């Protein structure tokens, strides 16, 4: 009986409150560190479809380096972008979301172990390859991009300007296919604006990218793939 009454004493209640505050402090500290690391430094992403095959396959897991700080402090007049042509990047298509709601959504997803969100279920992050930079003049023929950089007089294929090697999946299309369709393999010449980039899937068949979205803002490219860590048989740089 004495033990039962002791648990309702003032000192015991204060101990319970103190322990609760300590636990809450640790949880909040972990959330802040998790948010900073995953939102500002690095993030993990899983390739969930075939749009980047044959180089990237469904189930591949990557560590992405975040461009949050670089976008925040870069000089937009100087055009010093944190990525280069040919790199595998993460494109955020959720531009325009209210900042406060985004923060609250991070809390909801953290404390529900990513089960619930304030936003629709569709993923707004897409793994693509950036090929066109601001000022580039771009066209497509037989699914291959040709680029005239803003400061050049010559036109190059995407492979000549890209950093690193990659092999896109080029589909075979019937001659009767209407070239006005975005996935026909041809595209009218466009010139990118001051803060516009052109991103493309490695699988050049019916996959959404800048052929259907149009050019994407440079700030929407939020990260670059650093390393593929799973599966171990394909460990390394993408």
């Amino acid at each position: 009986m004495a033990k039962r009454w002791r648990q309702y004493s003032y000192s015991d209640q204060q101990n319970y409150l103190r322990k609760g505050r300590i636990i809450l402090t640790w949880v909040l500290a972990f959330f802040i560190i998790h948010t900073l690391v995953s939102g500002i430094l690095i993030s993990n992403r899983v390739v969930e479809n075939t749009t980047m095959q044959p180089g990237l396959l469904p189930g591949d897991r990557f560590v992405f380096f975040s461009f949050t700080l670089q976008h925040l402090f870069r000089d937009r007049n100087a055009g010093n972008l944190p990525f280069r042509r040919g790199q595998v990047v993460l494109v955020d298509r959720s531009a325009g979301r209210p900042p406060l709601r985004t923060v609250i959504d991070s809390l909801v997803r953290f404390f529900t172990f990513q089960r619930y969100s304030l936003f629709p279920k569709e993923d707004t992050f897409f793994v693509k390859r950036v090929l066109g930079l601001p000022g580039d003049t771009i066209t497509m023929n037989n699914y291959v991009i040709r680029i005239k950089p803003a400061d050049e007089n010559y036109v190059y294929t995407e492979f000549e300007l890209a950093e690193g090697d990659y092999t896109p999946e080029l589909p075979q299309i019937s001659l009767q296919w209407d070239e006005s369709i975005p996935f026909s393999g041809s595209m009218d010449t466009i010139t990118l604006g001051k803060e516009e980039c052109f991103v493309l899937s490695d699988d050049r068949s019916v996959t959404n990218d800048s052929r259907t979205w149009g050019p994407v803002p440079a700030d929407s490219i939020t990260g670059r793939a650093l390393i593929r860590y799973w599966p171990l048989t394909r460990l390394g740089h993408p």
Side-chain angles (χ1 to χ4, degrees), residues 3-223:
K3 290 182 179 179
R4 183 178 178 183
W5 282 106
R6 191 159 47 245
Q7 69 178 337
Y8 295 107
S9 68
Y10 178 78
S11 61
D12 284 342
Q13 291 179 11
Q14 292 302 307
N15 286 334
Y16 292 143
L17 290 174
R18 185 176 69 255
K19 291 178 181 178
R21 286 194 294 268
I22 292 174
I23 293 173
L24 180 60
T25 299
W26 277 105
V27 170
L28 289 177
F30 182 78
F31 167 73
I32 292 172
I33 293 172
H34 173 271
T35 302
L36 289 175
V37 171
S38 63
I40 297 179
L41 300 178
I42 61 174
S43 63
N44 298 318
R45 293 285 166 181
V46 181
V47 177
E48 298 181 345
N49 51 50
T50 61
T51 61
M52 292 298 290
Q53 65 180 6
L56 282 64
L57 302 178
D60 286 359
R61 285 167 166 78
F62 289 87
V63 174
F64 279 82
F65 175 73
S66 176
F67 296 146
T68 301
L69 293 179
Q70 286 90 332
H71 282 316
L72 187 62
F73 295 107
R74 72 183 177 90
D75 183 358
R76 283 160 177 75
N77 293 322
N80 52 340
L81 295 170
F83 48 83
R84 292 183 288 276
R85 294 184 187 89
Q87 291 183 332
V88 175
V89 295
L90 195 63
V91 182
D92 183 3
R93 296 278 294 161
S94 65
R97 285 182 172 178
L100 178 59
R101 192 178 179 190
T102 301
V103 172
I104 297 175
D105 178 66
S106 298
L107 282 167
V108 171
R109 288 187 289 106
F110 177 79
F111 286 106
T112 62
F113 301 100
Q114 309 299 322
R115 291 178 179 271
Y116 300 100
S117 172
L118 300 181
F119 298 105
K121 292 291 184 180
E122 305 88 53
D123 193 0
T124 60
F125 290 92
F126 298 87
V127 178
K128 299 296 176 185
R129 194 177 298 276
V130 59
L131 295 177
L133 301 182
D136 286 353
T137 299
I138 294 177
T139 189
M140 175 186 277
N141 186 25
N142 293 328
Y143 292 101
V144 175
I145 294 293
R146 287 170 170 76
I147 305 166
K148 177 184 173 300
D151 55 350
E152 295 277 353
N153 295 321
Y154 300 99
V155 177
Y156 304 89
T157 67
E158 58 183 277
F159 309 110
E160 294 175 281
L161 296 175
E163 178 178 283
D165 296 327
Y166 62 95
T167 303
E169 183 77 18
L170 306 181
Q172 297 295 323
I173 296 297
S174 169
L175 295 176
Q176 286 74 37
W177 195 271
D178 188 348
E179 291 192 358
S180 65
I181 299 175
F183 306 113
S184 66
S186 299
M187 186 184 73
D188 291 337
T189 302
I190 63 170
T191 299
L192 301 177
K194 184 178 180 181
E195 280 291 304
E196 292 182 336
C197 296
F198 194 91
V199 297
L200 202 59
S201 306
D202 281 356
D203 181 356
R204 302 290 165 84
S205 59
V206 186
T207 57
N208 285 317
D209 45 37
S210 284
R211 290 175 294 175
T212 51
W213 300 336
V216 299
D219 285 350
S220 71
I221 299 177
T222 60

